[in-house]
Amino acid sequence: MQTAANLMPIPGHIDPVPVPRSFVPRSDGRIDLLGLSLADLRMALETSQLEEKQAKLRAKQLWHWIYNRGATEFSAMTDISKTMHPWLEQRFVISRPNVIEAQVSTDGTRKWLLRSDDAQDYEMVFIPDADRGTLCVSSQVGCTLNCTFCHTGTMRLVRNLTPAEIVGQVMLARDSLGEWPSQPEGRMLTNIVMMGMGEPLYNFENVRDALKLVMDGAGLALSRRRITLSTSGVVPMMARAGAEIGVNLAVSLHAVTKEVRDEIVPLNRKYGIEELLQACADYPGTNNARRITFEYVMLKDKNDSDDDARELVRLLRKYELPAKVNLIPFNPWPGATYECSTPERIKSFSSIVFGAGISAPVRTPRGRDIDAACGQLKTASEKKSRAQIDREAAAEADTAFV
Ligand code: SF4
């Protein structure tokens, strides 16, 4: 029954994380070995009644086949006896995300629309360059943060991705690039950015566990220096990210005044700019060789004035941050209320920051023609406009009180 007490608005800022829908286990009852650490893999075998010593040996072999060789079939595992293959097949599976659609941009950028076994859609993007290849990985289906310039922000959060679904994106990219067995040199996939759908620090444990697998030298073996985690500024989790994951940090700053950042990155109402920059200053392991990247989307007449550029420099200096600023021309999407700054404006902004001795390159938009560019990710199955979503949310709130 509705009471006056539960109709009352909650004072102060509300943490924008609803409880995401929990993960649904596989309908065939088999356990997915992808995403498990060596210890968990061993535990899974022991739980299936494999004797302790056997479980230890088999776990090591399986782990090597999964993360070093990219195997998805037990029958390919030549050092595990043939008689054991059916036993493994009955109980376990080594998954990959299902590919619903794969697109290639005119500039070589590739985007995959992926679907989980419980029919959740998410995306990953591979951006090849002359000397490197970067995979942009999603951490959640949808996002709660509603950054107003971002298409993903118009999706509701459906659920957090599991470690298997996060590391699965890297595995799938390696499959598609033909990069098995894992080689230390000559790879196309050299870098990972946790900048796809979702806020990684709102799915901390799963992101951490997945990245630990990605960084393990005996498996996928990507160095922590080649992995970047991007946050919109979940301040309380940043120290933990530094201590427990230790990858490079990128921060979606996008504005230098409270008024503008409150509007375009609403999380700012909870964790303000100064608090965020202090957390950056405290992030372990940063120095001039390992700088923090500040992402700054260029929005016409919103955050792109010379005064904004000067304020950015002042703030970065105040906190003595080893910083690099990435200026991102706004990528339009249907229904967006912003326009991209003019090239002259971006140039002027960039030269002020450069003039202060801080690197501020303008990022070339990649994959625009397939909606794979920054802030454009949104699954094809979710085509609602922000206005439509707002209307539906209002209608839901109304009916909740009937
Ligand atoms: S920019 Fe990132 S945090 Fe903000 S709404 Fe988009 S996906 Fe979420």
Side-chain angles (χ1 to χ4, degrees), residues 121-137:
D121 290 353
Y122 52 103
E123 292 179 338
M124 70 173 197
V125 177
F126 179 68
I127 307 144
D129 275 304
D131 57 342
R132 58 156 71 184
T134 306
L135 186 70
C136 181
V137 172

Side-chain angles (χ1 to χ4, degrees), residues 163-315:
E165 289 160 345
I166 297 168
V167 77
Q169 296 171 62
V170 183
M171 308 291 283
L172 193 68
R174 279 262 178 102
D175 291 349
S176 118
L177 297 168
E179 301 206 315
W180 302 113
S182 198
Q183 305 276 353
E185 299 293 332
R187 298 171 180 163
M188 282 174 76
L189 200 178
T190 57
N191 292 56
I192 287 180
V193 290
M194 294 300 305
M195 284 185 194
M197 288 180 169
E199 164 55 61
L201 294 188
Y202 275 156
N203 185 16
F204 181 80
E205 273 91 6
N206 290 355
V207 166
R208 177 199 58 202
D209 294 352
L211 289 182
K212 285 203 162 153
L213 289 169
V214 171
M215 292 187 284
D216 194 307
L220 290 159
L222 262 136
S223 149
R224 68 183 61 228
R225 293 180 180 277
R226 290 185 170 272
I227 302 174
T228 301
L229 183 146
S230 174
T231 180
S232 297
V234 185
V235 168
M237 298 306 291
M238 286 168 65
R240 254 188 98 185
E244 294 179 36
I245 312 177
V247 294
N248 302 326
L249 181 69
V251 171
S252 297
L253 190 64
H254 305 310
V256 288
T257 64
K258 174 169 167 46
E259 190 200 349
V260 179
R261 197 164 191 270
D262 276 358
E263 175 193 324
I264 66 179
V265 185
L267 185 65
N268 195 66
R269 296 176 207 158
K270 193 170 172 70
Y271 309 114
I273 294 173
E274 304 256 348
E275 207 183 333
L276 172 58
L277 295 180
Q278 184 58 54
C280 291
D282 297 338
Y283 192 78
T286 56
N287 51 48
N288 273 335
R290 200 165 170 237
R291 287 175 286 173
I292 297 176
T293 305
F294 290 90
E295 309 286 352
Y296 201 99
V297 65
M298 297 302 294
L299 303 173
K300 188 177 178 190
D301 299 331
K302 182 54 75 180
N303 63 356
D304 62 351
S305 69
D306 288 351
D307 280 348
D308 288 322
R310 283 188 280 268
E311 177 62 4
L312 176 60
V313 170
R314 187 190 72 78
L315 284 168

Side-chain angles (χ1 to χ4, degrees), residues 360-397:
V362 181
R363 205 199 269 171
T364 322
R366 299 290 302 266
R368 264 188 176 177
D369 54 333
I370 55 168
D371 279 358
C374 241
Q376 285 187 312
L377 291 188
K378 180 170 173 164
T379 52
S381 56
E382 243 283 7
K383 286 285 185 200
K384 293 171 185 167
S385 67
R386 171 175 291 279
Q388 190 183 347
I389 285 168
D390 289 347
R391 274 197 301 277
E392 285 177 6
E396 255 174 40

